[in-house]
Amino acid sequence: MEIRKSSKFTGRLFKNVQPIWEKSHRHPFVQQLGEGTLPREKFAHYMKQDYVYLIDYAKLFAAAVTKARDLETMEHFSKILHETLHFEMELHRQYAAEFGISRKELEATKPTPINLAYTRYMLNVAQNGTLAEVVSCLLPCAWDYWEIGKLLRKQYGERISSNPYAKWIDTYDSETFGEGAKSLIKLMDELAEGLPERELALLEEHFQITSKYEYLFWDMNYYEHDWPI
Protein backbone atom coordinates (compact mmCIF):
# COMPACT_ATOMS: atom_id res chain seq x y z
CA MET A 1 0.00 0.00 0.00
CA GLU A 2 1.79 3.12 -1.20
CA ILE A 3 0.06 5.99 0.54
CA ARG A 4 2.50 8.61 -0.62
CA LYS A 5 1.51 8.20 -4.27
CA SER A 6 -2.19 7.67 -3.62
CA SER A 7 -4.68 9.92 -5.37
CA LYS A 8 -7.27 9.01 -2.74
CA PHE A 9 -8.26 11.16 0.22
CA THR A 10 -5.65 9.63 2.53
CA GLY A 11 -2.97 10.61 0.01
CA ARG A 12 -4.07 14.21 0.50
CA LEU A 13 -4.06 13.76 4.28
CA PHE A 14 -0.57 12.24 4.20
CA LYS A 15 0.86 15.00 2.02
CA ASN A 16 -0.60 17.89 3.99
CA VAL A 17 0.23 16.53 7.44
CA GLN A 18 3.96 16.13 6.75
CA PRO A 19 5.09 19.35 8.48
CA ILE A 20 3.39 18.18 11.68
CA TRP A 21 4.51 14.55 11.52
CA GLU A 22 8.09 15.47 10.64
CA LYS A 23 8.24 17.67 13.73
CA SER A 24 6.94 14.74 15.79
CA HIS A 25 9.51 12.40 14.25
CA ARG A 26 12.34 14.79 15.17
CA HIS A 27 11.08 15.26 18.72
CA PRO A 28 13.72 14.29 21.32
CA PHE A 29 11.31 11.83 22.96
CA VAL A 30 10.94 9.89 19.70
CA GLN A 31 14.59 10.09 18.71
CA GLN A 32 15.83 9.10 22.15
CA LEU A 33 13.43 6.15 22.07
CA GLY A 34 15.20 5.04 18.89
CA GLU A 35 18.65 5.67 20.36
CA GLY A 36 17.76 3.93 23.61
CA THR A 37 18.88 7.00 25.57
CA LEU A 38 15.46 8.21 26.76
CA PRO A 39 15.54 8.54 30.57
CA ARG A 40 13.46 5.84 32.25
CA GLU A 41 11.44 8.35 34.24
CA LYS A 42 10.27 10.03 31.02
CA PHE A 43 9.27 6.69 29.54
CA ALA A 44 7.47 5.78 32.78
CA HIS A 45 5.56 9.07 32.59
CA TYR A 46 4.61 8.21 29.01
CA MET A 47 3.51 4.67 29.89
CA LYS A 48 1.16 5.91 32.61
CA GLN A 49 -0.31 8.68 30.50
CA ASP A 50 -0.64 6.40 27.47
CA TYR A 51 -2.57 3.89 29.58
CA VAL A 52 -5.25 6.39 30.58
CA TYR A 53 -5.26 7.68 26.97
CA LEU A 54 -5.97 4.14 25.73
CA ILE A 55 -9.03 3.89 27.96
CA ASP A 56 -10.64 6.85 26.19
CA TYR A 57 -9.26 5.82 22.79
CA ALA A 58 -11.10 2.50 23.20
CA LYS A 59 -14.35 4.42 23.69
CA LEU A 60 -13.94 5.80 20.17
CA PHE A 61 -14.15 2.26 18.78
CA ALA A 62 -17.34 1.76 20.77
CA ALA A 63 -18.70 5.00 19.31
CA ALA A 64 -17.75 3.81 15.82
CA VAL A 65 -19.89 0.70 16.33
CA THR A 66 -22.92 2.87 17.02
CA LYS A 67 -22.16 5.16 14.04
CA ALA A 68 -21.68 2.32 11.55
CA ARG A 69 -24.39 1.73 8.96
CA ASP A 70 -23.63 -1.89 8.14
CA LEU A 71 -22.97 -5.04 10.12
CA GLU A 72 -19.52 -5.61 8.64
CA THR A 73 -18.27 -2.25 9.91
CA MET A 74 -19.89 -2.83 13.29
CA GLU A 75 -18.12 -6.19 13.56
CA HIS A 76 -14.81 -4.59 12.52
CA PHE A 77 -14.87 -1.96 15.26
CA SER A 78 -16.29 -4.38 17.82
CA LYS A 79 -13.29 -6.63 17.19
CA ILE A 80 -10.83 -3.72 17.57
CA LEU A 81 -12.54 -2.68 20.80
CA HIS A 82 -12.31 -6.21 22.19
CA GLU A 83 -8.63 -6.54 21.22
CA THR A 84 -7.82 -3.15 22.74
CA LEU A 85 -9.49 -3.89 26.07
CA HIS A 86 -8.49 -7.53 26.43
CA PHE A 87 -5.10 -7.78 24.70
CA GLU A 88 -3.45 -4.43 23.98
CA MET A 89 -4.06 -3.04 27.45
CA GLU A 90 -2.83 -6.26 29.06
CA LEU A 91 0.35 -6.08 26.98
CA HIS A 92 0.70 -2.47 28.09
CA ARG A 93 0.39 -3.55 31.74
CA GLN A 94 2.98 -6.29 31.25
CA TYR A 95 5.42 -3.94 29.55
CA ALA A 96 4.88 -1.27 32.22
CA ALA A 97 5.69 -3.88 34.89
CA GLU A 98 9.12 -4.32 33.30
CA PHE A 99 9.75 -0.67 34.16
CA GLY A 100 8.50 -1.08 37.71
CA ILE A 101 5.01 0.35 37.10
CA SER A 102 2.20 -1.63 38.71
CA ARG A 103 -1.34 -1.98 37.43
CA LYS A 104 -2.46 -0.05 40.50
CA GLU A 105 -0.20 2.86 39.51
CA LEU A 106 -1.46 2.78 35.94
CA GLU A 107 -5.09 2.86 36.98
CA ALA A 108 -4.48 5.58 39.58
CA THR A 109 -2.95 7.88 36.94
CA LYS A 110 -4.75 11.14 36.29
CA PRO A 111 -4.57 12.58 32.78
CA THR A 112 -2.48 15.70 32.25
CA PRO A 113 -4.09 18.80 30.69
CA ILE A 114 -2.80 17.83 27.22
CA ASN A 115 -3.99 14.25 27.57
CA LEU A 116 -7.40 15.40 28.76
CA ALA A 117 -7.73 17.99 25.99
CA TYR A 118 -6.74 15.44 23.32
CA THR A 119 -9.14 12.72 24.41
CA ARG A 120 -12.01 15.13 25.06
CA TYR A 121 -11.60 16.58 21.58
CA MET A 122 -11.94 13.11 20.07
CA LEU A 123 -14.81 12.08 22.33
CA ASN A 124 -16.68 15.26 21.45
CA VAL A 125 -16.30 14.45 17.76
CA ALA A 126 -17.42 10.88 18.44
CA GLN A 127 -20.52 12.15 20.24
CA ASN A 128 -21.54 14.71 17.65
CA GLY A 129 -19.95 13.68 14.35
CA THR A 130 -20.25 11.04 11.66
CA LEU A 131 -18.39 7.74 11.42
CA ALA A 132 -15.99 9.39 8.95
CA GLU A 133 -15.23 12.08 11.54
CA VAL A 134 -14.57 9.44 14.20
CA VAL A 135 -12.14 7.64 11.88
CA SER A 136 -10.38 10.89 10.99
CA CYS A 137 -9.65 11.36 14.71
CA LEU A 138 -8.60 7.75 15.28
CA LEU A 139 -6.29 7.63 12.30
CA PRO A 140 -3.32 9.85 13.25
CA CYS A 141 -2.43 7.83 16.36
CA ALA A 142 -2.58 4.48 14.54
CA TRP A 143 -0.96 5.68 11.32
CA ASP A 144 1.82 7.84 12.74
CA TYR A 145 2.85 5.27 15.35
CA TRP A 146 3.33 2.86 12.44
CA GLU A 147 5.32 5.51 10.58
CA ILE A 148 7.46 6.11 13.68
CA GLY A 149 8.07 2.39 14.18
CA LYS A 150 9.27 2.05 10.57
CA LEU A 151 11.34 5.23 10.80
CA LEU A 152 13.18 4.18 13.97
CA ARG A 153 13.84 0.73 12.49
CA LYS A 154 15.35 2.40 9.41
CA GLN A 155 17.36 4.91 11.42
CA TYR A 156 18.76 2.65 14.11
CA GLY A 157 18.66 -0.82 12.53
CA GLU A 158 20.70 -3.46 14.34
CA ARG A 159 21.32 -1.16 17.31
CA ILE A 160 17.68 -1.67 18.32
CA SER A 161 18.36 -5.20 19.58
CA SER A 162 20.26 -3.78 22.58
CA ASN A 163 17.84 -0.89 23.07
CA PRO A 164 15.84 -0.98 26.35
CA TYR A 165 12.84 0.20 24.32
CA ALA A 166 13.24 -2.43 21.59
CA LYS A 167 9.88 -4.03 22.43
CA TRP A 168 8.12 -0.70 21.88
CA ILE A 169 9.76 -0.26 18.46
CA ASP A 170 9.10 -3.89 17.54
CA THR A 171 5.41 -3.44 18.36
CA TYR A 172 4.82 -0.40 16.17
CA ASP A 173 7.07 -1.57 13.34
CA SER A 174 5.29 -4.93 13.26
CA GLU A 175 3.23 -6.30 10.40
CA THR A 176 0.31 -6.81 12.80
CA PHE A 177 0.22 -3.16 13.84
CA GLY A 178 0.74 -2.06 10.24
CA GLU A 179 -2.25 -4.11 9.10
CA GLY A 180 -4.41 -2.40 11.69
CA ALA A 181 -3.28 1.03 10.50
CA LYS A 182 -3.87 0.08 6.87
CA SER A 183 -7.40 -1.10 7.64
CA LEU A 184 -8.24 2.34 9.05
CA ILE A 185 -6.59 4.06 6.08
CA LYS A 186 -8.68 1.95 3.71
CA LEU A 187 -11.87 2.69 5.63
CA MET A 188 -11.09 6.41 5.67
CA ASP A 189 -10.86 6.39 1.87
CA GLU A 190 -14.11 4.45 1.55
CA LEU A 191 -15.97 6.83 3.86
CA ALA A 192 -14.56 9.92 2.15
CA GLU A 193 -15.44 8.82 -1.36
CA GLY A 194 -18.03 11.09 -2.96
CA LEU A 195 -18.19 13.56 -0.07
CA PRO A 196 -18.37 17.29 -0.91
CA GLU A 197 -15.28 19.40 -0.28
CA ARG A 198 -16.74 21.06 2.83
CA GLU A 199 -17.03 17.65 4.50
CA LEU A 200 -13.58 16.55 3.33
CA ALA A 201 -12.15 19.78 4.74
CA LEU A 202 -13.74 19.02 8.11
CA LEU A 203 -12.27 15.50 8.12
CA GLU A 204 -8.86 16.94 7.31
CA GLU A 205 -9.23 19.51 10.10
CA HIS A 206 -9.86 16.70 12.61
CA PHE A 207 -6.88 14.77 11.22
CA GLN A 208 -4.61 17.81 11.47
CA ILE A 209 -5.73 18.73 14.99
CA THR A 210 -5.31 15.22 16.36
CA SER A 211 -1.90 15.02 14.66
CA LYS A 212 -0.94 18.20 16.51
CA TYR A 213 -2.13 16.61 19.73
CA GLU A 214 0.14 13.65 18.97
CA TYR A 215 3.09 16.05 18.88
CA LEU A 216 1.95 17.67 22.11
CA PHE A 217 1.65 14.21 23.69
CA TRP A 218 5.35 13.49 22.99
CA ASP A 219 6.28 16.93 24.27
CA MET A 220 4.16 16.61 27.41
CA ASN A 221 5.79 13.30 28.31
CA TYR A 222 9.33 14.42 27.51
CA TYR A 223 9.08 17.44 29.79
CA GLU A 224 6.78 15.61 32.22
CA HIS A 225 4.20 18.37 32.13
CA ASP A 226 1.31 18.08 34.53
CA TRP A 227 -1.17 20.39 36.20
CA PRO A 228 0.73 23.49 37.38
CA ILE A 229 -1.66 23.94 40.32
Side-chain angles (χ1 to χ4, degrees):
M1 180 181 235
E2 184 53 75
I3 302 297
R4 293 159 182 78
K5 297 178 182 178
S6 173
S7 60
K8 295 182 178 179
F9 181 59
T10 53
R12 162 179 162 175
L13 294 180
F14 185 90
K15 177 182 177 182
N16 292 342
V17 81
Q18 287 311 298
I20 300 169
W21 282 9
E22 286 172 5
K23 191 169 182 179
S24 288
H25 298 173
R26 293 194 301 267
H27 196 282
F29 190 103
V30 173
Q31 286 301 311
Q32 288 175 25
L33 261 181
E35 294 166 355
T37 58
L38 184 71
R40 286 176 66 94
E41 65 272 14
K42 296 185 187 298
F43 189 72
H45 190 272
Y46 161 79
M47 289 295 288
K48 288 187 281 189
Q49 287 298 316
D50 197 44
Y51 187 80
V52 294
Y53 170 88
L54 273 174
I55 294 170
D56 283 329
Y57 194 66
K59 293 176 184 177
L60 295 172
F61 297 122
V65 172
T66 68
K67 301 280 181 178
R69 295 186 176 181
D70 60 82
L71 190 58
E72 182 180 359
T73 306
M74 291 175 69
E75 290 172 345
H76 176 71
F77 281 110
S78 177
K79 181 181 178 183
I80 298 175
L81 175 61
H82 184 271
E83 289 176 348
T84 301
L85 292 175
H86 295 279
F87 298 103
E88 185 174 354
M89 294 193 74
E90 178 57 28
L91 289 174
H92 196 105
R93 287 188 285 266
Q94 292 174 10
Y95 192 36
E98 295 179 20
F99 288 85
I101 307 167
S102 69
R103 177 170 182 163
K104 185 176 180 180
E105 283 183 272
L106 289 173
E107 295 184 356
T109 300
K110 301 298 183 185
T112 66
I114 289 297
N115 197 344
L116 199 61
Y118 185 4
T119 56
R120 270 34 187 189
Y121 179 87
M122 293 191 293
L123 289 170
N124 181 61
V125 171
Q127 178 69 28
N128 298 293
T130 63
L131 177 60
E133 288 181 79
V134 176
V135 175
S136 70
C137 288
L138 283 167
L139 189 53
C141 181
W143 191 351
D144 198 33
Y145 265 57
W146 182 38
E147 292 291 331
I148 287 170
K150 292 185 293 180
L151 174 69
L152 295 182
R153 176 74 59 190
K154 181 178 180 181
Q155 282 184 300
Y156 298 104
E158 294 180 359
R159 293 167 54 189
I160 290 173
S161 61
S162 58
N163 185 328
Y165 308 115
K167 187 179 291 186
W168 190 96
I169 298 168
D170 290 342
T171 296
Y172 296 111
D173 179 48
S174 69
E175 183 177 343
T176 299
F177 190 83
E179 287 303 316
K182 286 190 284 187
S183 72
L184 284 175
I185 292 167
K186 180 175 180 289
L187 181 59
M188 183 79 270
D189 280 326
E190 290 171 355
L191 294 171
E193 189 172 355
L195 293 180
E197 175 56 32
R198 68 179 182 278
E199 293 185 36
L200 295 178
L202 178 60
L203 297 178
E204 184 163 13
E205 181 181 7
H206 292 321
F207 187 83
Q208 291 262 330
I209 288 173
T210 47
S211 291
K212 289 175 182 178
Y213 271 124
E214 281 293 306
Y215 173 85
L216 291 175
F217 202 84
W218 298 124
D219 202 62
M220 169 266 291
N221 283 296
Y222 189 75
Y223 295 106
E224 298 179 58
H225 291 156
D226 209 329
W227 296 95
I229 57 173

